[in-house]
Structures are given as structure tokens and as C-alpha cells.
Coordinates of all heavy atoms in Angstrom, one line a residue:
M393 N 0.8 -1.2 0.0 CA 0.0 0.0 0.0 C 0.9 1.2 0.0 O 1.8 1.4 0.8 CB -0.9 0.0 1.2 CG -1.9 1.0 1.3 SD -3.3 0.4 2.2 CE -4.0 1.9 2.7
T394 N 0.6 2.1 -0.9 CA 1.5 3.3 -1.0 C 0.8 4.5 -0.2 O -0.4 4.6 -0.1 CB 1.6 3.7 -2.5 OG1 0.3 4.0 -3.0 CG2 2.2 2.6 -3.3
D395 N 1.7 5.3 0.2 CA 1.3 6.6 0.9 C 0.8 7.6 -0.1 O 1.4 7.7 -1.2 CB 2.4 7.2 1.7 CG 2.8 6.3 2.9 OD1 1.9 5.6 3.4 OD2 3.9 6.3 3.4
P396 N -0.2 8.3 0.2 CA -0.7 9.3 -0.8 C 0.4 10.4 -0.9 O 1.1 10.8 0.1 CB -1.9 9.9 -0.2 CG -1.9 9.5 1.2 CD -1.1 8.3 1.3
S397 N 0.6 10.9 -2.1 CA 1.6 11.9 -2.3 C 1.1 13.3 -1.7 O -0.1 13.5 -1.4 CB 1.9 12.1 -3.8 OG 0.8 12.7 -4.4
R398 N 2.0 14.2 -1.6 CA 1.7 15.5 -1.0 C 0.7 16.2 -1.9 O -0.2 16.9 -1.4 CB 3.0 16.3 -0.9 CG 2.8 17.6 -0.2 CD 4.2 18.3 -0.2 NE 4.7 18.9 0.9 CZ 4.9 18.5 2.2 NH1 4.5 17.3 2.5 NH2 5.4 19.1 3.1
A399 N 0.8 16.1 -3.2 CA -0.1 16.7 -4.2 C -1.5 16.1 -4.0 O -2.5 16.9 -4.1 CB 0.4 16.5 -5.6
E400 N -1.6 14.8 -3.8 CA -2.9 14.2 -3.6 C -3.6 14.7 -2.3 O -4.8 14.9 -2.3 CB -2.8 12.7 -3.6 CG -2.5 12.1 -4.9 CD -2.1 10.6 -4.9 OE1 -2.0 10.1 -3.7 OE2 -2.0 10.0 -5.9
I401 N -2.8 14.8 -1.3 CA -3.3 15.3 0.0 C -3.8 16.8 -0.2 O -4.9 17.1 0.3 CB -2.3 15.2 1.1 CG1 -2.0 13.8 1.4 CG2 -2.7 16.0 2.3 CD1 -0.8 13.5 2.3
R402 N -3.1 17.6 -0.9 CA -3.5 19.0 -1.1 C -4.7 19.1 -2.0 O -5.6 19.9 -1.7 CB -2.3 19.8 -1.8 CG -1.2 20.0 -0.8 CD -0.1 20.8 -1.5 NE -0.5 22.1 -2.1 CZ -0.6 23.3 -1.4 NH1 -0.3 23.3 -0.2 NH2 -1.0 24.3 -2.1
R403 N -4.9 18.2 -3.0 CA -6.1 18.2 -3.8 C -7.3 17.8 -3.0 O -8.4 18.3 -3.1 CB -5.9 17.2 -5.0 CG -5.2 17.9 -6.2 CD -5.3 17.0 -7.4 NE -4.7 15.7 -7.3 CZ -3.4 15.5 -7.6 NH1 -2.7 16.5 -8.1 NH2 -2.9 14.3 -7.5
A404 N -7.1 16.8 -2.1 CA -8.2 16.3 -1.3 C -8.6 17.4 -0.3 O -9.8 17.7 0.0 CB -7.8 15.1 -0.5
E405 N -7.6 18.1 0.3 CA -7.9 19.3 1.2 C -8.6 20.4 0.4 O -9.5 21.0 0.9 CB -6.6 19.8 1.8 CG -6.7 20.8 2.8 CD -7.3 20.3 4.1 OE1 -7.3 19.1 4.4 OE2 -7.9 21.1 4.9
H406 N -8.2 20.6 -0.8 CA -8.8 21.7 -1.6 C -10.3 21.3 -1.9 O -11.1 22.2 -1.9 CB -8.0 21.8 -2.9 CG -8.5 22.9 -3.8 ND1 -8.3 24.3 -3.6 CD2 -9.2 22.9 -5.0 CE1 -8.8 25.0 -4.5 NE2 -9.4 24.2 -5.4
R407 N -10.5 20.1 -2.3 CA -11.9 19.6 -2.5 C -12.8 19.8 -1.3 O -13.9 20.2 -1.4 CB -11.9 18.2 -3.1 CG -11.6 18.1 -4.5 CD -11.9 16.7 -5.1 NE -11.2 15.6 -4.4 CZ -9.9 15.2 -4.7 NH1 -9.3 15.7 -5.7 NH2 -9.4 14.2 -4.0
A408 N -12.2 19.4 -0.1 CA -13.0 19.5 1.1 C -13.3 20.9 1.4 O -14.4 21.3 1.9 CB -12.2 18.9 2.3
Y409 N -12.3 21.8 1.2 CA -12.5 23.3 1.4 C -13.7 23.8 0.5 O -14.6 24.5 1.0 CB -11.2 24.0 1.1 CG -11.4 25.5 1.0 CD1 -11.5 26.3 2.1 CD2 -11.4 26.1 -0.2 CE1 -11.6 27.7 2.0 CE2 -11.6 27.5 -0.4 CZ -11.7 28.3 0.8 OH -11.8 29.6 0.7
W410 N -13.6 23.5 -0.8 CA -14.6 24.0 -1.7 C -16.0 23.3 -1.4 O -17.0 24.0 -1.6 CB -14.2 23.8 -3.1 CG -13.4 24.9 -3.5 CD1 -12.0 24.9 -3.7 CD2 -13.8 26.3 -3.7 NE1 -11.6 26.2 -4.0 CE2 -12.6 27.1 -4.0 CE3 -15.0 26.9 -3.7 CZ2 -12.7 28.4 -4.3 CZ3 -15.1 28.3 -4.0 CH2 -13.9 29.0 -4.2
K411 N -16.0 22.1 -1.0 CA -17.3 21.5 -0.6 C -18.0 22.2 0.5 O -19.2 22.5 0.5 CB -17.1 20.0 -0.3 CG -18.4 19.3 0.0 CD -18.2 17.8 0.3 CE -19.5 17.2 0.6 NZ -19.3 15.8 1.0
K412 N -17.2 22.6 1.5 CA -17.7 23.3 2.7 C -18.2 24.7 2.2 O -19.2 25.2 2.7 CB -16.7 23.4 3.8 CG -16.5 22.1 4.5 CD -15.5 22.2 5.6 CE -15.3 20.8 6.2 NZ -14.2 20.9 7.3
N413 N -17.4 25.3 1.4 CA -17.7 26.7 0.9 C -19.0 26.6 0.1 O -19.9 27.5 0.4 CB -16.6 27.2 0.0 CG -16.7 28.6 -0.4 OD1 -17.8 29.2 -0.2 ND2 -15.7 29.1 -1.0
L414 N -19.2 25.7 -0.8 CA -20.4 25.7 -1.6 C -21.6 25.2 -0.8 O -22.7 25.7 -1.0 CB -20.2 24.7 -2.8 CG -19.2 25.2 -3.8 CD1 -18.9 24.1 -4.9 CD2 -19.6 26.5 -4.4
T415 N -21.4 24.4 0.2 CA -22.5 24.0 1.1 C -23.0 25.2 1.9 O -24.2 25.4 2.0 CB -22.1 22.9 2.0 OG1 -21.6 21.7 1.3 CG2 -23.2 22.5 3.0
L416 N -22.0 26.0 2.4 CA -22.4 27.2 3.1 C -23.1 28.2 2.2 O -24.2 28.7 2.6 CB -21.1 27.8 3.7 CG -21.3 29.2 4.4 CD1 -22.2 29.0 5.6 CD2 -20.0 29.8 4.8
M417 N -22.6 28.4 1.1 CA -23.3 29.4 0.1 C -24.7 28.9 -0.2 O -25.6 29.7 -0.3 CB -22.4 29.6 -1.1 CG -21.3 30.5 -0.9 SD -20.6 31.1 -2.5 CE -19.9 29.6 -3.2
G418 N -24.8 27.6 -0.5 CA -26.2 27.1 -0.8 C -27.1 27.2 0.3 O -28.3 27.6 0.1
A419 N -26.7 27.0 1.6 CA -27.6 27.1 2.7 C -28.0 28.6 2.9 O -29.1 28.9 3.2 CB -26.9 26.6 4.0
L420 N -27.0 29.5 2.8 CA -27.3 30.9 3.0 C -28.2 31.5 1.9 O -29.1 32.3 2.2 CB -26.0 31.7 3.1 CG -25.1 31.4 4.3 CD1 -23.9 32.3 4.3 CD2 -25.9 31.6 5.6
L421 N -28.0 31.0 0.7 CA -28.9 31.5 -0.4 C -30.3 30.9 -0.3 O -31.2 31.6 -0.6 CB -28.3 31.0 -1.8 CG -27.1 31.8 -2.3 CD1 -26.5 31.2 -3.5 CD2 -27.5 33.3 -2.6
A422 N -30.4 29.7 0.3 CA -31.7 29.1 0.5 C -32.4 30.0 1.6 O -33.6 30.2 1.5 CB -31.6 27.7 1.0
I423 N -31.7 30.3 2.7 CA -32.3 31.2 3.7 C -32.8 32.5 3.1 O -33.9 33.0 3.4 CB -31.3 31.4 4.9 CG1 -31.1 30.1 5.6 CG2 -31.8 32.5 5.8 CD1 -30.0 30.1 6.6
W424 N -31.9 33.1 2.3 CA -32.2 34.4 1.7 C -33.5 34.3 0.8 O -34.4 35.1 0.8 CB -31.0 35.0 0.9 CG -31.2 36.4 0.4 CD1 -31.9 37.4 1.0 CD2 -30.7 36.9 -0.8 NE1 -31.8 38.5 0.2 CE2 -31.1 38.2 -0.9 CE3 -29.9 36.3 -1.8 CZ2 -30.8 39.0 -2.0 CZ3 -29.6 37.1 -2.9 CH2 -30.0 38.5 -2.9
F425 N -33.5 33.2 0.0 CA -34.7 33.0 -0.9 C -36.0 32.8 0.0 O -37.0 33.4 -0.4 CB -34.5 31.7 -1.7 CG -35.7 31.3 -2.5 CD1 -36.0 32.0 -3.7 CD2 -36.5 30.3 -2.1 CE1 -37.1 31.7 -4.4 CE2 -37.6 30.0 -2.8 CZ -37.9 30.7 -4.0
L426 N -35.9 32.0 1.0 CA -37.1 31.8 1.8 C -37.6 33.1 2.5 O -38.8 33.4 2.6 CB -36.8 30.8 2.9 CG -36.7 29.3 2.4 CD1 -36.3 28.4 3.6 CD2 -38.0 28.9 1.9
V427 N -36.6 34.0 2.9 CA -37.0 35.2 3.6 C -37.5 36.2 2.5 O -38.6 36.8 2.7 CB -35.8 35.8 4.4 CG1 -36.1 37.2 4.8 CG2 -35.5 34.9 5.5
S428 N -36.8 36.4 1.4 CA -37.2 37.4 0.5 C -38.4 37.0 -0.4 O -39.4 37.7 -0.5 CB -36.0 37.8 -0.4 OG -35.6 36.7 -1.2
F429 N -38.3 35.8 -1.0 CA -39.4 35.4 -1.8 C -40.5 34.8 -1.0 O -41.7 35.0 -1.2 CB -38.9 34.4 -2.9 CG -39.9 34.0 -3.9 CD1 -40.2 34.9 -4.9 CD2 -40.5 32.8 -3.9 CE1 -41.2 34.6 -5.9 CE2 -41.4 32.4 -4.9 CZ -41.8 33.3 -5.9
G430 N -40.2 33.9 -0.1 CA -41.2 33.2 0.7 C -42.0 34.2 1.6 O -43.2 34.2 1.5
A431 N -41.2 34.9 2.5 CA -41.9 35.8 3.4 C -42.5 37.0 2.8 O -43.6 37.5 3.2 CB -41.0 36.2 4.6
G432 N -41.9 37.5 1.7 CA -42.3 38.7 1.1 C -43.4 38.5 0.1 O -44.2 39.4 -0.2
I433 N -43.5 37.3 -0.5 CA -44.5 37.0 -1.6 C -45.4 35.8 -1.3 O -46.6 36.0 -1.2 CB -43.7 36.8 -2.9 CG1 -43.0 38.1 -3.3 CG2 -44.7 36.4 -4.0 CD1 -42.1 37.9 -4.5
L434 N -44.8 34.6 -1.1 CA -45.6 33.4 -0.9 C -46.4 33.4 0.3 O -47.6 33.0 0.3 CB -44.7 32.2 -1.0 CG -44.0 31.9 -2.3 CD1 -43.1 30.7 -2.2 CD2 -45.0 31.8 -3.4
F435 N -45.8 33.8 1.5 CA -46.5 33.7 2.7 C -47.0 35.0 3.2 O -47.3 35.2 4.4 CB -45.6 33.0 3.8 CG -45.0 31.7 3.4 CD1 -43.6 31.5 3.3 CD2 -45.8 30.7 3.1 CE1 -43.1 30.3 2.9 CE2 -45.3 29.4 2.7 CZ -44.0 29.3 2.6
R436 N -47.0 36.0 2.3 CA -47.4 37.4 2.7 C -48.8 37.5 3.4 O -48.9 38.1 4.4 CB -47.3 38.3 1.5 CG -47.6 39.7 1.9 CD -47.4 40.7 0.8 NE -47.8 42.0 1.3 CZ -48.5 42.9 0.6 NH1 -48.9 42.6 -0.6 NH2 -48.8 44.0 1.1
D437 N -49.7 36.8 2.8 CA -51.1 36.9 3.3 C -51.2 36.4 4.7 O -51.8 36.9 5.6 CB -52.1 36.1 2.4 CG -52.2 36.8 1.0 OD1 -52.0 38.0 0.9 OD2 -52.6 36.1 0.1
W438 N -50.5 35.2 4.9 CA -50.6 34.7 6.3 C -49.8 35.5 7.3 O -50.2 35.7 8.4 CB -50.0 33.2 6.3 CG -50.1 32.6 7.6 CD1 -51.2 32.0 8.2 CD2 -49.0 32.5 8.6 NE1 -50.9 31.5 9.4 CE2 -49.5 31.8 9.7 CE3 -47.7 32.9 8.6 CZ2 -48.8 31.5 10.8 CZ3 -46.9 32.6 9.7 CH2 -47.5 31.9 10.8
L439 N -48.6 36.1 6.9 CA -47.8 36.9 7.7 C -48.5 38.2 8.0 O -48.2 38.9 9.1 CB -46.4 37.1 7.1 CG -45.5 35.9 7.1 CD1 -44.3 36.2 6.3 CD2 -45.1 35.5 8.5
D440 N -49.4 38.7 7.2 CA -50.0 40.0 7.4 C -50.9 40.0 8.6 O -51.3 41.1 9.0 CB -50.7 40.4 6.1 CG -49.8 41.0 5.1 OD1 -48.6 41.3 5.4 OD2 -50.2 41.2 3.9
Q441 N -51.2 38.9 9.1 CA -52.1 38.9 10.4 C -51.3 39.4 11.6 O -51.8 39.7 12.6 CB -52.7 37.5 10.6 CG -51.7 36.4 10.8 CD -52.4 35.1 10.9 OE1 -53.5 35.0 11.5 NE2 -51.8 34.0 10.5
F442 N -49.9 39.5 11.4 CA -49.1 40.0 12.5 C -48.5 41.3 12.0 O -48.5 41.6 10.8 CB -47.9 39.0 12.7 CG -48.3 37.6 13.0 CD1 -48.2 36.7 12.0 CD2 -48.9 37.3 14.2 CE1 -48.6 35.4 12.2 CE2 -49.3 36.0 14.4 CZ -49.1 35.0 13.5
S443 N -48.0 42.1 12.9 CA -47.5 43.4 12.5 C -46.2 43.8 13.3 O -46.0 43.3 14.4 CB -48.5 44.5 12.7 OG -48.8 44.7 14.0
I444 N -45.4 44.6 12.6 CA -44.2 45.2 13.3 C -44.3 46.7 13.1 O -44.3 47.2 12.0 CB -42.9 44.6 12.6 CG1 -42.7 43.2 12.9 CG2 -41.7 45.4 13.0 CD1 -41.4 42.6 12.4
G445 N -44.3 47.4 14.2 CA -44.4 48.8 14.1 C -45.6 49.4 13.4 O -45.4 50.4 12.7
G446 N -46.7 48.7 13.4 CA -47.9 49.1 12.7 C -48.0 48.7 11.3 O -49.0 48.9 10.6
A447 N -46.9 48.1 10.7 CA -46.9 47.6 9.3 C -47.2 46.1 9.3 O -46.7 45.4 10.2 CB -45.6 47.9 8.6
P448 N -48.0 45.6 8.4 CA -48.2 44.1 8.3 C -46.8 43.4 8.1 O -45.9 43.9 7.4 CB -49.1 44.0 7.1 CG -49.7 45.3 6.8 CD -48.7 46.3 7.4
L449 N -46.7 42.3 8.8 CA -45.4 41.6 8.7 C -44.9 41.2 7.3 O -43.8 41.3 7.0 CB -45.4 40.3 9.7 CG -44.1 39.6 9.9 CD1 -43.1 40.5 10.5 CD2 -44.4 38.4 10.8
G450 N -45.9 40.7 6.5 CA -45.5 40.3 5.1 C -45.0 41.5 4.3 O -44.0 41.4 3.6
F451 N -45.6 42.7 4.5 CA -45.2 43.9 3.8 C -43.8 44.3 4.4 O -42.9 44.7 3.6 CB -46.2 45.0 4.1 CG -45.8 46.3 3.5 CD1 -45.8 46.6 2.2 CD2 -45.3 47.3 4.4 CE1 -45.4 47.8 1.7 CE2 -44.9 48.5 3.9 CZ -44.9 48.8 2.6
W452 N -43.6 44.2 5.7 CA -42.4 44.5 6.3 C -41.2 43.7 5.8 O -40.2 44.2 5.5 CB -42.4 44.4 7.8 CG -41.2 44.8 8.5 CD1 -40.9 46.1 8.9 CD2 -40.1 44.0 8.9 NE1 -39.6 46.1 9.5 CE2 -39.1 44.9 9.5 CE3 -39.8 42.7 8.8 CZ2 -37.9 44.4 10.0 CZ3 -38.6 42.2 9.3 CH2 -37.7 43.1 9.9
F453 N -41.5 42.4 5.6 CA -40.4 41.5 5.1 C -40.1 41.9 3.6 O -39.0 41.8 3.2 CB -40.8 40.0 5.2 CG -40.3 39.3 6.4 CD1 -41.2 38.9 7.4 CD2 -39.0 39.1 6.6 CE1 -40.7 38.3 8.5 CE2 -38.5 38.5 7.7 CZ -39.4 38.1 8.7
A454 N -41.1 42.2 2.9 CA -40.9 42.5 1.5 C -40.1 43.9 1.4 O -39.3 44.0 0.4 CB -42.3 42.7 0.7
Q455 N -40.3 44.8 2.3 CA -39.7 46.1 2.2 C -38.4 46.2 3.0 O -37.5 46.9 2.5 CB -40.7 47.2 2.6 CG -41.9 47.3 1.8 CD -41.6 47.5 0.3 OE1 -40.8 48.4 0.0 NE2 -42.2 46.8 -0.6
Q456 N -38.4 45.7 4.2 CA -37.2 45.9 5.0 C -36.5 44.6 5.5 O -35.3 44.5 5.5 CB -37.6 46.6 6.3 CG -38.2 48.0 6.0 CD -37.2 49.0 5.5 OE1 -36.0 48.9 5.8 NE2 -37.6 49.8 4.6
G457 N -37.4 43.6 5.9 CA -36.8 42.4 6.5 C -35.9 41.6 5.6 O -34.8 41.1 6.1
S458 N -36.1 41.5 4.4 CA -35.2 40.7 3.5 C -33.9 41.4 3.4 O -32.8 40.8 3.3 CB -35.8 40.5 2.1 OG -36.1 41.7 1.5
I459 N -33.9 42.8 3.4 CA -32.6 43.5 3.4 C -31.8 43.3 4.7 O -30.6 43.0 4.6 CB -32.9 45.0 3.2 CG1 -33.5 45.2 1.8 CG2 -31.6 45.8 3.3 CD1 -34.1 46.6 1.6
Y460 N -32.5 43.3 5.8 CA -31.8 43.1 7.1 C -31.2 41.6 7.1 O -30.1 41.4 7.6 CB -32.7 43.3 8.3 CG -33.1 44.7 8.5 CD1 -34.4 45.0 9.0 CD2 -32.3 45.8 8.2 CE1 -34.8 46.3 9.2 CE2 -32.6 47.1 8.5 CZ -33.9 47.3 8.9 OH -34.3 48.6 9.1
V461 N -32.0 40.7 6.7 CA -31.5 39.3 6.7 C -30.3 39.2 5.7 O -29.4 38.5 6.0 CB -32.7 38.3 6.3 CG1 -32.1 36.9 6.0 CG2 -33.7 38.3 7.4
F462 N -30.4 39.8 4.6 CA -29.3 39.7 3.6 C -28.0 40.3 4.2 O -26.9 39.7 4.1 CB -29.6 40.5 2.3 CG -28.5 40.5 1.3 CD1 -28.2 39.4 0.7 CD2 -27.8 41.7 1.1 CE1 -27.1 39.4 -0.3 CE2 -26.8 41.7 0.2 CZ -26.4 40.6 -0.5
V463 N -28.1 41.4 4.9 CA -26.9 42.0 5.6 C -26.4 41.0 6.7 O -25.2 40.8 6.8 CB -27.2 43.4 6.1 CG1 -26.0 43.9 7.0 CG2 -27.4 44.3 5.0
A464 N -27.3 40.5 7.4 CA -26.9 39.5 8.5 C -26.2 38.3 7.9 O -25.2 37.8 8.4 CB -28.1 39.1 9.3
L465 N -26.7 37.8 6.7 CA -26.1 36.7 6.1 C -24.7 37.0 5.6 O -23.8 36.1 5.5 CB -27.0 36.2 4.9 CG -28.3 35.5 5.3 CD1 -29.1 35.2 4.1 CD2 -28.1 34.3 6.2
I466 N -24.4 38.2 5.2 CA -23.1 38.6 4.8 C -22.1 38.4 6.0 O -21.0 37.9 5.8 CB -23.0 40.0 4.3 CG1 -23.8 40.1 2.9 CG2 -21.6 40.5 4.1 CD1 -24.0 41.5 2.4
F467 N -22.5 38.9 7.1 CA -21.7 38.7 8.3 C -21.5 37.3 8.7 O -20.4 36.8 9.1 CB -22.2 39.6 9.5 CG -22.0 41.0 9.3 CD1 -23.0 41.9 9.0 CD2 -20.7 41.6 9.5 CE1 -22.9 43.2 8.8 CE2 -20.5 42.9 9.3 CZ -21.6 43.8 9.0
V468 N -22.6 36.5 8.6 CA -22.5 35.0 8.9 C -21.5 34.4 8.0 O -20.7 33.6 8.4 CB -23.9 34.4 8.9 CG1 -23.8 32.9 8.9 CG2 -24.8 34.9 10.0
Y469 N -21.6 34.7 6.7 CA -20.8 34.1 5.7 C -19.3 34.4 6.0 O -18.4 33.6 5.9 CB -21.1 34.6 4.3 CG -20.2 34.1 3.2 CD1 -20.3 32.8 2.7 CD2 -19.2 34.9 2.7 CE1 -19.4 32.3 1.8 CE2 -18.3 34.4 1.7 CZ -18.4 33.1 1.3 OH -17.6 32.6 0.3
A470 N -19.0 35.7 6.3 CA -17.6 36.1 6.6 C -17.1 35.4 7.8 O -16.0 34.9 7.8 CB -17.6 37.6 6.8
A471 N -17.9 35.3 8.8 CA -17.4 34.6 10.1 C -17.2 33.1 9.9 O -16.2 32.6 10.3 CB -18.4 34.8 11.2
V472 N -18.1 32.4 9.2 CA -18.0 31.0 9.0 C -16.9 30.7 8.0 O -16.1 29.8 8.2 CB -19.3 30.4 8.5 CG1 -19.2 28.9 8.1 CG2 -20.4 30.5 9.6
M473 N -16.7 31.5 7.0 CA -15.7 31.3 6.0 C -14.3 31.5 6.6 O -13.3 30.8 6.3 CB -15.8 32.2 4.8 CG -16.8 31.6 3.7 SD -16.4 29.9 3.2 CE -14.8 30.1 2.5
D474 N -14.2 32.5 7.6 CA -12.9 32.7 8.3 C -12.6 31.4 9.1 O -11.4 31.0 9.0 CB -13.1 33.9 9.2 CG -11.8 34.2 9.9 OD1 -10.8 34.4 9.1 OD2 -11.7 34.4 11.1
R475 N -13.5 30.8 9.7 CA -13.3 29.6 10.4 C -12.9 28.4 9.5 O -12.0 27.7 9.8 CB -14.6 29.2 11.2 CG -14.3 28.7 12.6 CD -15.5 28.4 13.4 NE -16.5 29.4 13.3 CZ -17.8 29.1 13.2 NH1 -18.2 27.8 13.3 NH2 -18.7 30.0 13.1
I476 N -13.6 28.3 8.4 CA -13.3 27.2 7.4 C -11.9 27.4 6.8 O -11.1 26.5 6.7 CB -14.4 27.2 6.3 CG1 -15.7 26.7 6.8 CG2 -13.9 26.3 5.1 CD1 -16.8 26.8 5.8
E477 N -11.6 28.7 6.5 CA -10.2 28.9 5.9 C -9.1 28.6 6.9 O -8.1 28.1 6.6 CB -10.1 30.4 5.5 CG -10.9 30.6 4.2 CD -11.0 32.1 3.8 OE1 -10.5 33.0 4.6 OE2 -11.4 32.4 2.7
R478 N -9.3 29.0 8.2 CA -8.3 28.6 9.2 C -8.2 27.1 9.4 O -7.1 26.6 9.5 CB -8.7 29.3 10.5 CG -8.1 30.7 10.6 CD -8.2 31.2 12.0 NE -9.3 32.2 12.1 CZ -10.3 32.0 12.9 NH1 -10.4 31.1 13.7 NH2 -11.3 32.9 12.8
R479 N -9.3 26.4 9.3 CA -9.3 25.0 9.5 C -8.6 24.3 8.3 O -7.9 23.3 8.5 CB -10.7 24.5 9.6 CG -10.8 23.0 10.0 CD -12.2 22.5 10.3 NE -12.7 23.3 11.4 CZ -14.0 23.7 11.4 NH1 -14.8 23.5 10.5 NH2 -14.4 24.4 12.5
H480 N -8.7 24.9 7.2 CA -8.1 24.3 6.0 C -6.8 25.0 5.6 O -6.3 24.7 4.5 CB -9.1 24.3 4.8 CG -10.2 23.3 5.0 ND1 -10.1 22.0 4.7 CD2 -11.4 23.5 5.5 CE1 -11.2 21.4 4.9 NE2 -12.1 22.3 5.4
A481 N -6.3 25.8 6.4 CA -5.1 26.6 6.2 C -5.1 27.3 4.8 O -4.1 27.3 4.1 CB -3.8 25.7 6.3
A482 N -6.2 27.9 4.5 CA -6.4 28.6 3.2 C -6.5 30.1 3.4 O -6.9 30.7 2.4 CB -7.7 28.0 2.5
D483 N -6.2 30.6 4.6 CA -6.4 32.0 4.8 C -5.2 32.8 4.1 O -4.2 32.2 3.7 CB -6.5 32.4 6.2 CG -5.3 31.9 7.0 OD1 -4.5 31.1 6.5 OD2 -5.2 32.2 8.2
D484 N -5.5 34.0 3.8 CA -4.5 34.9 3.1 C -3.3 35.4 4.0 O -2.4 35.9 3.5 CB -5.2 36.1 2.5 CG -6.2 35.7 1.4 OD1 -6.0 34.6 0.8 OD2 -7.1 36.5 1.1
Q485 N -3.5 35.2 5.3 CA -2.5 35.7 6.2 C -1.3 34.7 6.4 O -1.6 33.6 6.7 CB -3.1 36.1 7.5 CG -4.2 37.1 7.4 CD -5.0 37.2 8.6 OE1 -4.8 36.5 9.6 NE2 -6.0 38.0 8.6
D486 N -0.1 35.2 6.1 CA 1.1 34.3 6.3 C 1.9 34.7 7.4 O 2.1 35.8 7.8 CB 1.9 34.3 5.0 CG 1.2 33.6 3.9 OD1 0.4 32.7 4.1 OD2 1.5 33.9 2.7

């Protein structure tokens, strides 16, 4: 049985890094879709029975909520990717 070469190990590490990156992006995009399209359009009628600051909740998500969630997702992505990059030794800092 042969030991894997250094290049094979690096390729496997690179694939694992990108798999985690794409999984994270897919999850965050799904959350953004559910909040912006789901809460703002699909579930608007049901959400409108609740209110935030006098505005119906469905309307609030369509106008403000999806933007707030998008900004929060940017910070989540940056924090989680920082952890993933450190774990896979892929950060830019030497």
C-alpha cells in the first residue's frame, strides 16, 4: 500500500474546502430565498395577520426584512468562511 503523495493530499484538502464553501453558500442562499421570496411574496397573506411597528409583517419582510436578513447573512458568511479557511489553512495571512 502506497502513501498518498503530497499533491494528492493537497487536492483532497482543496476539494474538502470547496465542498464546505459551496455547502455554506447554498444554505445561506436558501435562507435568503425563503425570507425574500417566501416571506415577502408566498407567505405574505398569512404573515400580514401579524405586524411590526404598525406595518403588516408580510409587507415589512418585502420592504425591510429581507434586506436586514441579507446583511446579516453577509456577516455570517464572513465569520463561517474565516473559520473554514483557518481549518483548511487557506487564509491569506502568512
Side-chain angles (χ1 to χ4, degrees):
M393 187 153 159
T394 61
D395 291 333
S397 70
R398 187 183 227 52
E400 290 171 350
I401 293 171
R402 288 181 55 90
R403 276 194 295 270
E405 186 70 21
H406 183 74
R407 280 193 300 273
Y409 167 80
W410 276 104
K411 182 178 180 183
K412 288 180 183 178
N413 186 352
L414 293 175
T415 301
L416 174 64
M417 282 195 295
L420 295 178
L421 285 171
I423 292 169
W424 188 35
F425 173 79
L426 288 174
V427 170
S428 62
F429 188 74
I433 297 171
L434 295 178
F435 306 119
R436 181 174 179 223
D437 293 335
W438 184 81
L439 289 172
D440 280 346
Q441 62 185 326
F442 309 103
S443 65
I444 290 183
L449 187 59
F451 175 78
W452 184 84
F453 267 110
Q455 298 301 312
Q456 300 293 326
S458 60
I459 296 168
Y460 292 145
V461 170
F462 178 70
V463 171
L465 291 177
I466 291 171
F467 286 105
V468 168
Y469 177 78
V472 174
M473 278 307 298
D474 187 49
R475 223 177 318 141
I476 290 172
E477 287 175 351
R478 272 192 257 121
R479 187 173 300 140
H480 290 276
D483 56 354
D484 292 338
Q485 301 167 359
D486 290 335

